[in-house]
Amino acid sequence: MLLLCTYDLHLGKNLSPKKRTTAADLTLALQPAMLLLAIMFSMVPTHEVATGISTSTVIDGFTVPVTVAEVSTAVDNTVGVTVSYGIDFGIVFGIFTLTWLVGVAETALYKIVSYLRFVHNLKKSLAKCDYDAPVTVFTSPKATSPFLMGFFRAKIILPDKPMDEAELELAIKHELIHHKRHDIQKKFWMELLKCVNWFNPAFYVFAKKLSELSELTVDEILSSDLDHTQRKAYGGLLLKFALAGTGSVFCSELSHAASNLAARLEVIMNENRSKTTRKEKIALATLAVVVVAVVGLSIGICAAAMPEETKDIAASYMTIVPNEEIELVKAEPVTRTIEIDESKTIETYGIEQDPVKGFSKLSDVGEKIDEETIESDYTNAPTKYVYLLSLTNSKDGSLEINKIAYSNGEIIVISGTDGNAISLSPGDEVNLTIMPDYSPAYSNTDGKGEHVEVGYVLDEKLVEVYHGYIPEDGLEVPFTTEKDGEYQLYLINYCAGMQNYESVTVEIK
């Protein structure tokens, strides 16, 4: 629209008003045509790879994020995770769409109500004229200028003012040309598109230009059959009704825009029209280039917006840790074969996970060990969320930890009753017993028990003693120390969700 307005301003004057109006009419149809083209492009069938879903599996003792086509994602709702996705363009687009639709509805409602009110007020004052014309002619004291109205049943409305026979004939001929060229239907179509483009200043400029060109075209057609005297009379008729308006954009008026009168009078009084000048040929060629450029650009945009034949919409997943912001990034398509040990894959199907009633969460009662202050090899574990718990003396004299729950990837480091490491000598026998509580619906979903790793920390190293599952009747892990040192025991939750332990007992002989 901006291109056409710029073109019309600089080169369009070399064309006749009729040719300029034809170019504007084509431009008016260009936007819905491009929209139809975009819809057709969007309906082209494409093939999309199934969305990748992340799950965690255990391979060689470590939790590994794996992207596969169809699996159930394990969800641990007990871990607070903040995931940062950046700008959600879907929400932004939705807001803009809603705002646009509200604007379309308000603009359309205003135009419809205004037109219906105009028609209702006008009907009360109409008086039919006995004038022989293809269209019914009426007079009305509310009309300030001759105009044509009616989408389906056109009618000419004349003001209740004295006009001589020549003026009456010219006014009716003017409106009949509008009727023959379907200018009323074009006005309705333009107002409909104006509702769609309510936010677009370029469309308002274009609509005004099209309305002016429509009047120039009718003036050109009508004056072509008039002699010099009749042309002067026709020009005088336009001046007589200048600045008078019907008050409705859905009508075609004889004259109301004083700003366009000079151009209209110039067209009317031009008696030396040639067929096609050299300047017109250049202007037409330039117009063709502009139209081809606009259509080509629109097709290019539509084609660029098409989805690729194959999209890999799986994201690259990473281990999510509590209270840490991460950013998910789109992964490049990769084809690979991954062998998964199904016996080590736990799926909880998104069951809500809370500790057993009366049990404490590790993150609430444990002392978090800051990884920045640790110089040991804790990074052998699949997470840095390590919590220290001290053993307590039970009534029977054993050392234990009672009613504790911890989530996937968390590590329990067990120290002595005083919070320090346990001093052990070579040959000391240590027996660690875990009694699970499988009462929650999310526990032991496959009947194999809960996946755990048990070991000890010595000389700033994690030493694995047991890696496997905890049966329903409990798990005993015995081991014998080989050298002197300050020992701490550890447990790692390798299942997909939360584990609840009735007790963790340590016996040292």
Side-chain angles (χ1 to χ4, degrees), residues 238-282:
L238 296 184
L239 292 172
K240 182 176 182 178
F241 292 104
L243 300 180
T246 63
S248 176
V249 294
F250 295 97
C251 301
S252 179
E253 305 172 54
L254 175 70
S255 177
H256 71 277
S259 59
N260 199 33
L261 272 177
R264 295 184 66 180
L265 292 174
E266 184 179 351
V267 169
I268 292 170
M269 301 308 296
N270 183 10
E271 301 180 17
N272 300 317
R273 295 192 185 96
S274 58
K275 292 185 179 180
T276 303
T277 64
R278 182 173 178 275
K279 289 184 178 180
E280 279 187 317
K281 291 180 180 180
I282 295 175

Side-chain angles (χ1 to χ4, degrees), residues 5 22 29 39 62 85 93 140 150 159 166 237 275 346 390:
C5 291
T22 301
I39 294 173
F62 295 96
Y85 293 93
F93 180 75
S140 170
L237 183 65
K275 292 185 179 180
I346 305 299
S390 298

Side-chain angles (χ1 to χ4, degrees), residues 63-91:
T63 300
V64 180
V66 179
T67 301
V68 292
E70 294 180 358
V71 296
S72 298
T73 305
V75 178
D76 180 1
N77 291 327
T78 65
V79 179
V81 178
T82 303
V83 181
S84 175
Y85 293 93
I87 298 175
D88 190 335
F89 288 100
I91 295 178

Side-chain angles (χ1 to χ4, degrees), residues 422-436:
I422 305 169
S423 298
L424 297 176
S425 302
D428 286 344
E429 295 179 359
V430 181
N431 187 66
L432 187 146
T433 303
I434 301 174
M435 294 302 299

Side-chain angles (χ1 to χ4, degrees), residues 285-302:
T286 306
L287 178 62
V289 172
V290 170
V291 172
V292 170
V294 171
V295 174
L297 179 63
S298 300
I299 293 175
I301 292 173
C302 292

